[in-house]
DNA sequence: CACTCACTTTCCAACTCGGCAAGTGATTTC
DNA sequence: GAAATCACTTGCCGAGTTGGAAAGTGAGTG
């Protein structure tokens, strides 16, 4: 088993994306605007991060209509959900496992 | 209560430093070389990250002698330990709490 | 036809990070 | 006692990431 840090997912690790993915993981689907307010970033920033997550195959973007206007909603793909779970596991492993030899204590 | 992401500690969040701090948190004190091997980075990289953690007040550096040679050992300060615990709490909050309003689901 | 919505994209400027190489100070080795 | 080794430390990049501001897009509205 390699060291846990290597199992951290770079795409998910960035604070903003971690929040985005966590929010999406706790719901089935979230509107762009709601997510933007939840995560507290600008449209521009969210749009960019969504692109990153989409390219990674972690998020699916879908457009739907409200009246005549189009809205965007986001949802985690199964891979995204798995990746998130794996990432959280890796964090836990690092945080609480990883017993370290203490020099002069064996 | 502000959103949890704001409570993430930037100093601790970086993967390498997270690993370093986690390792230090699980022990009382670790030698530079042991830490370097545990975290799997170069001397240079570790040295730099230790400087960052020291400036943040999270790590204390002490030199001691082995025979005639000097060795460096690292330990978390109480603030460092607190910061790490707080960071992990914030991660958990984001990861498992944070119920999000789902549009059209109230 | 101008304007608003709901994002998207572009253009930066500011960081951060790691590798490599050189530097330090103390201690050995030949 | 000059050269090499140990145990880090520092400097110098180059690459990659991020976010804000602002312009752009495409559809819909007055």
């Amino acid at each position: 088993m390699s060291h846990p840090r290597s199992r951290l997912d770079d795409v998910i690790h960035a604070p903003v994306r971690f929040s985005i993915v966590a929010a999406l993981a706790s719901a089935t689907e979230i509107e762009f605007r709601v997510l933007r307010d939840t995560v507290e970033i600008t449209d521009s920033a969210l749009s960019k991060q969504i692109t990153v997550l989409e390219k990674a195959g972690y998020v699916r973007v879908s457009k739907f209509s409200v009246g005549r206007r189009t809205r965007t909603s986001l949802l985690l793909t199964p891979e995204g959900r798995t990746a998130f779970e794996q990432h959280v596991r890796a964090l836990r492993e690092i945080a609480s496992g990883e017993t370290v030899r203490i020099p002069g204590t064996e």
Side-chain angles (χ1 to χ4, degrees), chain A:
Chain A
M1 200 188 291
S2 63
H3 68 125
R5 197 176 79 252
S6 64
R7 303 230 225 123
L8 289 174
D9 188 317
D10 282 346
V11 176
I12 294 178
H13 191 74
V16 199
R17 289 194 296 269
F18 186 70
S19 291
I20 292 172
V21 173
L24 291 173
S26 75
T28 45
E29 194 166 6
I30 307 184
E31 276 190 48
F32 186 93
R33 40 173 53 212
V34 174
L35 193 52
R36 176 200 59 199
D37 296 343
T38 304
V39 182
E40 290 175 26
I41 44 175
T42 59
D43 288 10
S44 151
L46 179 55
S47 184
K48 286 171 193 172
Q49 300 306 334
I50 291 300
T51 302
V52 173
L53 291 166
E54 213 189 344
K55 280 187 180 148
Y58 292 172
V59 162
R60 234 192 53 212
V61 180
S62 52
K63 311 275 182 180
F64 66 100
S65 299
V66 176
R68 311 247 143 181
R69 290 189 176 293
T70 302
R71 292 275 176 83
T72 301
S73 81
L74 297 318
L75 58 96
L76 276 192
T77 59
E79 301 80 55
R81 195 166 290 273
T82 303
F84 179 63
E85 281 158 11
Q86 165 58 41
H87 183 77
V88 171
R89 263 199 297 284
L91 281 176
R92 263 201 270 279
E93 247 184 85
I94 297 173
S96 56
E98 199 163 59
T99 307
V100 171
R101 286 136 290 150
I102 302 158
T105 312
E106 50 243 353

